[in-house]
Amino acid sequence: MNKELIIKASGDMVEIALLEDKKLVELHYEQGQDDFAVGDLYLGKIKKLMPGLNAAFVDVGYEKDAFLHYTDLSPHFNSLVKFSRQSIEGNRTWGDDFTKFKIEPVIQKAGKITEVINQKPEVIVQILKEPISAKGPRLSCEISLPGRFLVLTPFNDVVSVSRKIHSAEERKRLQKIVEAVKPKKFGMIVRTAAEGKGTEELHADVYELIKMWDTIQINLKGAKAPQKILGEQTKTTSILRDLLNESFQRVVSNDKRIADDAREYITRVAPEKAEIVSYHNTSMDIFEQYGVNKQIKSSFGQTVSMGSGSYLIIQHTEALHVIDVNSGTRSADAGQEQNALATNIEAVSEIARQMRLRDLGGIIIVDFIDMKLPDNKRQVLDAMETAMGNDRARHTILSISKFGLMQITRQRLRPELNINTSEECPTCKGTGKIGSTMLLSDNIERDLSYLVDQGHRALTLKVHPIVEAYLTKGILFSSLRSKWSRKHKTKLQIVADNSFPLTQYCYFDAQTQDMINL
C-alpha cells in the first residue's frame, strides 16, 4: 500500500490529506496554533467535585471547564499531584534525576473521587478528547508521551507490547530490549511500528521521550493554572510519527517551511526516507494536481456512490450515525443472495474509509442488504475487521444481527469532519423555492412592458424550450408573442436555450445583443 501526504497551506490554515493507493482516507485541518488538541498537556486547577458523576471539573483555560472522570485519574494520581506541586515550586526532591522520585501509593481502581481529591489542587492533565459541541475538553491524568516506536508513561516500571504484534518471540525480544534501555520510574508501551527494530533505534526513541519529560519539568517551574505546559506536535509531524513506514512514497507541501520541517523530522527519525519530501512550487493548486479536491467533492455529502452502481446513504442523528447500503443499478445476474453479498463486501471498504475520512465517532449503525446465509454474514464481518485494521481510532465491531444491522463503536476524539459539497442553486438562490410557473408569462410580459417604457423597440427573449413552445404556439397572430408585440408596439423574438431552468428568462437588446439587467 502506497501512502502519500499532501499538505496545502493558505494563510494560517493548513489542510493535510492522507492518500492510500491514491485514495483519500484522512483529511485534517490545522489553523494557527490549535489549543486543546488531543495530547496537549495543561496545568489545570480542580474547580468543582461532582460526587454523583464521580468526576471533577477542571479549569484549563477553555470557556467551559474540562471534565475529568475518576476512571481517568490514573492509579498514580497522588504521585502526579506531588510531581506537579514540587515542579511548580521549584523544590524538586529528586533534583535532575527523576529516577530518585519517590512514588506515592496508588489509588483504588473503583474508589470515589471525593476520597482522592480532598482539596482543589493544581495538577498536570492531558487532553483526552477535544471540545465537541457544547462540551468542554475531556481530560486524563494518565500521562502518555508518544514517540515513533514507544509511548512513555511516568511513575511506573511496566513495559507492555502492542497486541498487534502477534509473534510471541518478537514480543519477548522487544520487551527485553526496552526493559534494558529505559530508566527506572518510567513505563513504556511498545508500539506496532517497533516490530523488527533494533536496540539502537529503540534507545534513540527512549532518549527523545526522556528529553520531552525533562521539558515538562522545566515548563512547570513557576507555572500558574490554567497554563499550557506542552503542546502536541503539528498534525503533519504527528501523522508522520504515527504512520511513517516503508510504504510512504511522498510528502509534498506548497509551503517551503512545512516541507523543510517535515524533511528535518524524517531525516532525524528515518534518514533513508528523507528524499520523499518535496516542495510544490508551481501555480497549480496542490490539491487539484493530486486529485484531492475532486475526491473531497465526491466523498462528502449524504450520498456516496461506489463503482458498481451501488451507493451509501450516510445520515447523522444526535445519538449515532446511520449508514444504509443500497444496491442501486448493480446487476443481479448472479442471484439475489450473491448480489447482496458482493454489494455488502464492496460497501465495507467504502464504509471503513468514510469513518476515517469524516472521523465518525460514537455509535455507527450499518444497514446492510439482507443476507440469509450465516457464512455470508460472517464474510462481511471479517471483511469489516480487515478494512478497519488501518484505523488508528479504537473501535469495536459486532456481528450482523438478524435484522441485517451491524453495530460499530469508534473512538471519538474530535468533532466530526463535515464538508458542504453542494453549491447554491442559480435559480432559487439557495431558498429551495422557485416562482410559480402559473405566473411566469405574466412576469415576462410585465418586464416587457417596463423595457418598452424605457425606450427599447427590438428585443430578444431567451427562455427554456418548453416556455418558448408555449409562448409561440398557435397560428401567426394568435400566439402570446404576437399579442404582446401588437399590444406593446415592439418587435419581439423568442429564442430557446436548453441550458436555462424552466422559470429562468433573459431579455437581450436585438441590435447590440447585450443582456438587459432588470
Side-chain angles (χ1 to χ4, degrees):
M1 180 181 293
N2 294 330
K3 295 181 181 178
E4 300 170 284
L5 206 61
I6 314 300
I7 307 164
K8 176 182 177 181
S10 53
D12 63 346
M13 171 70 79
V14 178
E15 301 172 71
I16 305 168
L18 175 63
L19 308 182
E20 291 181 354
D21 292 335
K22 304 295 182 182
K23 205 164 191 178
L24 180 66
V25 294
E26 290 185 22
L27 190 62
H28 301 271
Y29 289 90
E30 187 174 25
Q31 187 163 9
Q33 182 59 43
D34 285 345
D35 289 326
F36 309 105
V38 174
D40 286 352
L41 295 177
Y42 281 82
L43 180 64
K45 173 75 173 177
I46 306 290
K47 298 288 287 186
K48 187 178 182 181
L49 299 181
M50 301 293 291
L53 298 175
N54 204 19
F57 285 102
V58 184
D59 180 14
V60 291
Y62 188 66
E63 57 189 22
K64 292 182 178 292
D65 287 340
F67 184 78
L68 176 64
H69 193 268
Y70 184 90
T71 55
D72 295 317
L73 279 185
S74 164
H76 299 282
F77 179 76
N78 291 329
S79 296
L80 185 63
V81 173
K82 174 184 172 181
F83 169 80
S84 301
R85 185 183 67 253
Q86 293 190 8
S87 295
I88 293 168
E89 296 170 352
N91 184 28
R92 295 182 296 189
T93 56
W94 61 94
D96 294 328
D97 186 1
F98 186 72
T99 60
K100 296 179 181 178
F101 181 87
K102 184 180 179 181
I103 303 295
E104 298 297 314
V106 299
I107 65 174
Q108 295 182 17
K109 187 175 182 179
K112 296 181 179 179
I113 199 160
T114 51
E115 296 172 351
V116 176
I117 305 177
N118 298 320
Q119 302 176 352
K120 294 181 179 178
E122 295 182 351
V123 62
I124 188 169
V125 292
Q126 190 165 31
I127 303 297
L128 188 64
K129 292 183 181 179
E130 293 180 9
I132 297 175
S133 186
K135 300 177 182 179
R138 180 158 182 175
L139 306 177
S140 173
C141 288
E142 296 194 62
I143 306 301
S144 60
L145 305 179
R148 190 179 176 204
F149 305 122
L150 305 167
V151 178
L152 181 147
T153 57
F155 310 115
N156 67 71
D157 279 314
V158 178
V159 174
S160 58
V161 183
S162 169
R163 296 177 184 175
K164 293 184 179 180
I165 300 177
H166 301 296
S167 170
E169 291 184 3
E170 178 65 5
R171 293 171 65 88
K172 289 179 181 178
R173 185 187 73 87
L174 290 170
Q175 186 164 9
K176 187 176 180 180
I177 292 174
V178 175
E179 285 176 345
V181 299
K182 80 169 188 66
K184 293 181 179 179
K185 308 293 174 69
F186 289 108
M188 292 286 175
I189 301 171
V190 182
R191 306 182 71 174
T192 310
E195 189 170 9
K197 302 302 177 184
T199 304
E200 185 178 352
E201 293 170 295
L202 296 176
H203 187 271
D205 212 30
V206 170
Y207 177 74
E208 290 294 328
L209 293 173
I210 297 300
K211 281 176 57 179
M212 198 182 300
W213 182 250
D214 291 340
T215 301
I216 292 171
Q217 297 183 73
I218 294 170
N219 293 346
L220 275 173
K221 186 176 181 180
K224 293 183 179 179
Q227 182 176 325
K228 191 173 185 176
I229 300 301
L230 186 71
E232 174 65 295
Q233 296 174 315
T234 64
K235 280 190 168 62
T236 301
T237 51
S238 64
I239 291 172
L240 289 173
R241 178 195 66 203
D242 293 342
L243 297 178
L244 184 64
N245 56 27
E246 292 75 13
S247 64
F248 248 101
Q249 299 298 314
R250 180 185 287 118
V251 178
V252 57
S253 174
N254 66 340
D255 185 284
K256 193 172 189 307
R257 180 186 59 81
I258 293 176
D260 289 343
D261 288 347
R263 185 180 293 107
E264 187 274 332
Y265 175 80
I266 294 178
T267 302
R268 180 158 46 88
V269 301
E272 71 282 1
K273 301 290 289 184
E275 74 281 355
I276 69 173
V277 182
S278 60
Y279 170 50
H280 178 83
N281 190 22
T282 67
S283 59
M284 185 175 184
D285 183 273
I286 187 171
F287 273 14
E288 285 289 343
Q289 179 162 334
Y290 292 97
V292 176
N293 280 340
K294 185 175 182 180
Q295 291 197 57
I296 291 175
K297 287 288 186 182
S298 64
S299 299
F300 288 87
Q302 183 172 293
T303 303
V304 178
S305 299
M306 294 182 286
S308 65
S310 52
Y311 61 94
L312 306 176
I313 301 292
I314 303 176
Q315 293 182 316
H316 169 68
T317 71
E318 186 65 26
L320 47 81
H321 301 275
V322 180
I323 302 176
D324 185 33
V325 181
N326 294 273
S327 58
T329 59
R330 187 186 184 107
S331 172
D333 294 340
Q336 183 175 347
E337 181 74 11
Q338 283 303 311
N339 182 63
L341 175 61
T343 303
N344 289 340
I345 292 292
E346 181 187 20
V348 159
S349 59
E350 184 61 31
I351 290 169
R353 171 176 171 260
Q354 287 292 328
M355 285 191 284
R356 289 178 67 188
L357 186 57
R358 303 180 188 223
D359 206 6
L360 301 184
I363 301 173
I364 299 124
I365 304 295
V366 184
D367 183 10
F368 285 107
I369 299 174
D370 288 341
M371 298 175 293
K372 296 180 181 179
L373 300 179
D375 286 347
N376 290 344
K377 294 182 179 181
R378 182 67 201 182
Q379 282 189 53
V380 174
L381 175 62
D382 292 343
M384 181 64 79
E385 291 174 344
T386 301
M388 294 189 69
N390 293 327
D391 197 332
R392 290 180 287 162
R394 292 195 302 271
H395 55 268
T396 303
I397 307 170
L398 299 184
S399 301
I400 297 177
S401 71
K402 64 179 180 180
F403 298 120
L405 304 178
M406 175 182 285
Q407 300 176 63
I408 302 171
T409 60
R410 188 174 181 273
Q411 182 184 23
R412 170 179 284 172
L413 298 177
R414 55 186 63 87
E416 172 194 351
L417 181 59
N418 191 13
I419 297 176
N420 184 13
T421 59
S422 60
E423 299 176 358
E424 184 179 281
C425 172
T427 303
C428 72
K429 306 301 181 185
T431 64
K433 298 179 180 179
I434 61 174
S436 171
T437 53
M438 295 178 64
L439 302 177
L440 182 60
S441 61
D442 293 341
N443 293 336
I444 293 173
E445 185 185 7
R446 181 198 63 206
D447 290 340
L448 175 63
S449 176
Y450 169 78
L451 292 175
V452 170
D453 291 342
Q454 295 297 312
H456 294 279
R457 288 295 176 266
L459 295 166
T460 299
L461 174 65
K462 188 173 288 189
V463 293
H464 187 276
I466 293 178
V467 179
E468 186 267 344
Y470 173 74
L471 296 178
T472 57
K473 73 176 181 178
I475 58 177
L476 182 61
F477 297 106
S478 64
S479 67
L480 280 175
R481 178 182 59 182
S482 300
K483 292 178 181 179
W484 290 348
S485 295
R486 292 195 302 271
K487 179 180 177 181
H488 298 288
K489 296 181 175 57
T490 186
K491 183 179 179 181
L492 179 64
Q493 180 183 5
I494 299 179
V495 177
D497 191 325
N498 288 318
S499 66
F500 272 39
L502 181 63
T503 58
Q504 182 180 346
Y505 61 91
C506 287
Y507 278 102
F508 293 80
D509 188 289
Q511 295 179 349
T512 64
Q513 294 301 312
D514 293 333
M515 186 174 72
I516 303 172
N517 293 319
L518 293 167

